[in-house]
Amino acid sequence: MTEICQTRLSGISISDTGVSSGESAAGRSLAAPVLRYLWALAIFAVAIAIRFLVLPVEAGLAFLTFYPATAIAALLCGTWPGMLVVALGAVIGPYVFMAPFWSFKFPLDQIFSAATFTLSGMVVCFIAHRMRHRTTEVSLLNAKLEAAVERLRQREAELATSNGELEQFAYVASHDLRAPLRGIRNLAGWIKDDVTGKVDDEAMENLDLLQRRAERLDLLLEGLLEYSRIGRMDGGVEPVDIRRVVSDIADYISPPPGFSLECRGDMPELATHRAALEQVLRNLISNAVKHHDRPDGRVAVSCHDCGDSLEFSVTDDGPGIPPEYHESIFKMFQTLKSRDQVEGSGMGLAIVKKAVERHGGTIRVESDPTRRGTAFVFTWGKGV
Amino acid sequence: MGTVNILLVEDDEVDVKAVKRAFRDLKIANPIVGAVDGVEALEILRGENGKEKLAAPYLIMLDLNMPRMGGFEFLSEIRKDPELQRSIVFVMTTSAAEEDRVKAYDMNVSGYVLKHSPGHSFMEAISMLEHFWRVVEFPG
């Protein structure tokens, strides 16, 4: 304990005086204990002086100023300097201020008073010791806490940097990788044009596959690019007419003629990033159309107000999604059917999830395995 | 007016081939001179560094992202040069970014054409250029 106190004291004195060289620090830590006892002596001297000033010698109350002196010395200089004050007080008090005055004859009552003072002085020292202990512990804990907070702050900064780098990487990768890929698509097309009628069906089929795989890779990179762009290209907040957005989406994806796409119920007013909300709805609606197993499917969009946010549902009467896939469908590049059956990047729902979460919302899928149909339900914060 | 020469400033070999194939398929006979970046294009336009000076009239097809000197730097160079400032330039790029488009028109390009657009094919873009130089009068 004393060691900790000393290091702390010497630490403080070093930083106070701005001394930082190792040599002076060593000199300080040797001098510090002696200094503390000298300070205790000085405090005791002041106590005697005050006692002389305040009351005549014969007035009694021999230990009047020694109690505060003990407490101050014990708090400021340490337990043992405090005990020094107690010892000195126990001798000087009866010697000067108790009858017979200025005499080393100690009658029984003086010995009794001195003993009482010594005992209570020791209690004061003990309490001071505990208080110092507490203070040191608290300040140590504080220092630890501050260090932990600092580490956390650093981690946060690192995380932000690496997140930014990751997004930058995804953007650059998807953008720059597409350029040579376009070259490959062109070249495959030209070879096909040039050799048509000159090679066998097998070679033509392989060229077809080469072209289609290149197109698929382009689709994947486009999905990755779109994913990395979420939040960068949000544009401004504007009032959004949800019915209008849904009808624009219907025009854009142009579902088969028998398909119905409708808004069900009231559509509340909303001010938000139009492009982001449109992206989410477009992906969900086009999924519902693309993965439907009948040409006369029905897709409905509904929305209700939950106070701070809006809850949207995109419901279809398609084949449904088995419960074991309800989580994995939101991961990047995940598809439930082979890409040869349903062409897609597998990025759609990952994009939806990221965009929804950026707007303070959550998304879940509801699909009862005993019945047909799927509902994607997501919330959208009104504040953003 | 004599035959219009085409200066194709493009660093991607496949894209150069794409232009040449389109010329061949559309039976366009105008001579194409290639430059891999802005620096080489300037040398050809000024007849510097052992290059033969390109004869007028000419039309420049310009890519934006190139090594050494990109499309925008090249544009600001020729617009500063009294001999080259009236050059007719079409930007042919993959960049659909709004800021690139605006910047290009600010530098007085005659058109901004996307190499790959959902709205038209590359052949249509090249055939539009051919109509352009057949119909439009070039600066002297």
Side-chain angles (χ1 to χ4, degrees), chain B:
Chain B
M1 191 174 80
T3 313
V4 173
N5 290 307
I6 310 298
L7 176 60
L8 178 59
V9 193
E10 169 67 72
D11 65 319
D12 189 321
E13 218 178 315
V14 178
D15 285 345
V16 172
K17 253 195 156 80
V19 173
K20 288 186 174 165
R21 273 188 81 96
F23 270 50
R24 193 194 68 191
D25 293 349
L26 293 168
K27 301 189 168 55
I28 301 171
N30 298 55
I32 299 176
V33 180
V36 294
D37 59 21
V39 175
E40 198 184 349
L42 281 176
E43 284 170 1
I44 291 168
L45 287 171
R46 291 171 178 156
E48 288 168 350
N49 203 10
K51 302 275 191 317
E52 194 188 332
K53 189 171 169 166
L54 188 70
Y58 58 80
L59 180 144
I60 301 169
M61 290 167 68
L62 181 67
D63 188 20
L64 290 181
N65 294 315
M66 288 176 295
R68 289 203 293 179
M69 185 190 281
F72 289 122
E73 279 172 277
F74 170 78
L75 274 171
S76 69
E77 278 298 314
I78 59 166
R79 296 303 181 221
K80 275 189 298 196
D81 186 324
E83 267 196 56
L84 303 177
Q85 61 180 350
R86 291 186 205 92
S87 302
I88 290 172
V89 180
F90 278 86
V91 168
M92 306 279 287
T93 179
T94 54
S95 165
E98 171 81 16
E99 53 176 303
D100 284 347
R101 216 180 324 157
V102 170
K103 199 171 164 187
Y105 281 112
D106 282 347
M107 294 171 121
N108 298 321
V109 298
S110 304
Y112 189 98
V113 182
L114 287 178
K115 286 178 192 168
H116 310 271
S117 158
H120 65 76
S121 71
F122 189 65
M123 291 288 244
E124 282 176 304
I126 296 296
S127 130
M128 177 278 295
L129 283 182
E130 198 229 349
H131 286 299
F132 181 91
W133 73 64
R134 269 214 319 247
V135 174
V136 172
E137 294 299 321
F138 276 49

Side-chain angles (χ1 to χ4, degrees), chain A residues 49-86:
Chain A
I50 292 172
R51 174 62 184 75
F52 273 119
L53 285 171
V54 174
L55 288 170
V57 171
E58 299 81 8
L61 299 169
F63 304 104
L64 177 69
T65 54
F66 296 170
Y67 282 107
T70 306
I72 292 168
L75 272 175
L76 293 185
C77 311
T79 312
W80 290 107
M83 294 300 271
L84 176 68
V85 172
V86 172

Side-chain angles (χ1 to χ4, degrees), chain A residues 94-143:
Chain A
Y95 168 63
V96 182
F97 302 106
M98 288 180 88
F101 303 102
W102 298 102
S103 133
F104 278 113
K105 277 190 200 146
F106 295 129
L108 208 61
D109 66 316
Q110 287 197 11
I111 292 174
F112 182 70
S113 302
T116 313
F117 170 70
T118 308
L119 270 177
S120 41
M122 282 164 76
V123 170
V124 169
C125 284
F126 177 73
I127 292 168
H129 174 89
R130 299 294 305 175
M131 282 171 74
R132 283 169 62 97
H133 189 124
R134 285 276 159 76
T135 322
T136 320
E137 261 182 0
V138 167
S139 61
L140 274 176
L141 278 176
N142 248 337

Side-chain angles (χ1 to χ4, degrees), chain A residues 84-382:
Chain A
L84 176 68
V85 172
V86 172
L88 287 170
V91 175
I92 305 254
Y95 168 63
V96 182
F97 302 106
M98 288 180 88
F101 303 102
W102 298 102
S103 133
F104 278 113
K105 277 190 200 146
F106 295 129
L108 208 61
D109 66 316
Q110 287 197 11
I111 292 174
F112 182 70
S113 302
T116 313
F117 170 70
T118 308
L119 270 177
S120 41
M122 282 164 76
V123 170
V124 169
C125 284
F126 177 73
I127 292 168
H129 174 89
R130 299 294 305 175
M131 282 171 74
R132 283 169 62 97
H133 189 124
R134 285 276 159 76
T135 322
T136 320
E137 261 182 0
V138 167
S139 61
L140 274 176
L141 278 176
N142 248 337
K144 270 188 191 165
L145 202 69
E146 269 166 31
V149 168
E150 183 52 36
R151 268 204 305 279
L152 224 65
R153 220 172 266 153
Q154 237 169 340
R155 289 273 158 76
E156 201 183 14
E158 278 167 19
L159 207 66
T161 315
S162 75
N163 253 344
E165 277 170 2
L166 205 66
E167 276 183 21
Q168 181 70 17
F169 170 77
Y171 177 78
V172 168
S174 43
H175 185 261
D176 291 4
L177 294 183
R178 288 178 88 186
L181 185 59
R182 284 208 189 93
I184 294 171
R185 286 173 65 184
N186 275 344
L187 290 165
W190 297 337
I191 293 173
K192 222 173 98 184
D193 292 347
D194 293 348
V195 302
T196 302
K198 294 179 196 157
V199 294
D200 60 15
D201 291 351
E202 168 93 27
M204 285 306 285
E205 198 185 316
N206 290 345
L207 275 170
D208 258 343
L209 281 171
L210 173 63
Q211 223 175 356
R212 287 221 295 275
R213 288 300 179 276
E215 273 160 25
R216 184 176 299 169
L217 182 51
D218 195 50
L219 199 67
L220 296 181
L221 290 172
E222 196 184 321
L224 193 61
L225 184 66
E226 199 183 339
Y227 185 82
S228 77
R229 270 182 174 162
I230 292 170
R232 288 167 172 242
M233 316 276 182
D234 273 347
V237 172
E238 55 185 308
V240 176
D241 177 352
I242 297 160
R243 279 180 191 280
R244 176 80 186 277
V245 169
V246 172
S247 85
D248 284 353
I249 292 169
D251 288 345
Y252 178 78
I253 57 179
S254 53
F259 236 91
S260 92
L261 170 59
E262 53 167 17
C263 287
R264 203 178 283 161
D266 284 341
M267 288 289 156
E269 294 261 311
L270 173 66
T272 190
H273 296 122
R274 186 198 152 90
L277 182 60
E278 192 178 330
Q279 184 180 42
V280 169
L281 287 171
R282 189 176 60 235
N283 274 303
L284 291 177
I285 293 170
S286 76
N287 269 353
V289 173
K290 191 162 78 178
H291 297 284
H292 210 289
D293 52 356
R294 286 198 319 244
D296 60 342
R298 299 170 70 84
V299 179
V301 179
S302 63
C303 176
H304 85 263
D305 204 320
C306 307
D308 288 346
S309 61
L310 295 177
E311 190 181 80
F312 288 88
S313 307
V314 177
T315 313
D316 65 61
D317 59 352
I321 300 170
E324 58 265 38
Y325 301 120
H326 285 190
E327 269 180 46
S328 61
I329 48 172
F330 292 104
K331 291 183 183 149
M332 281 198 242
F333 298 121
Q334 293 285 324
T335 54
L336 290 184
K337 283 190 177 161
S338 147
R339 290 189 171 87
D340 289 337
Q341 290 174 288
V342 179
E343 197 65 65
S345 67
M347 288 299 289
L349 287 176
I351 288 167
V352 165
K353 187 168 192 275
K354 191 178 168 193
V356 165
E357 284 173 357
R358 277 195 77 95
H359 286 82
T362 54
I363 182 160
R364 64 176 195 274
V365 54
E366 290 171 357
S367 185
D368 183 346
T370 61
R371 289 161 46 200
R372 287 179 60 85
T374 307
F376 282 90
V377 183
F378 68 92
T379 53
W380 194 264
K382 281 182 183 171

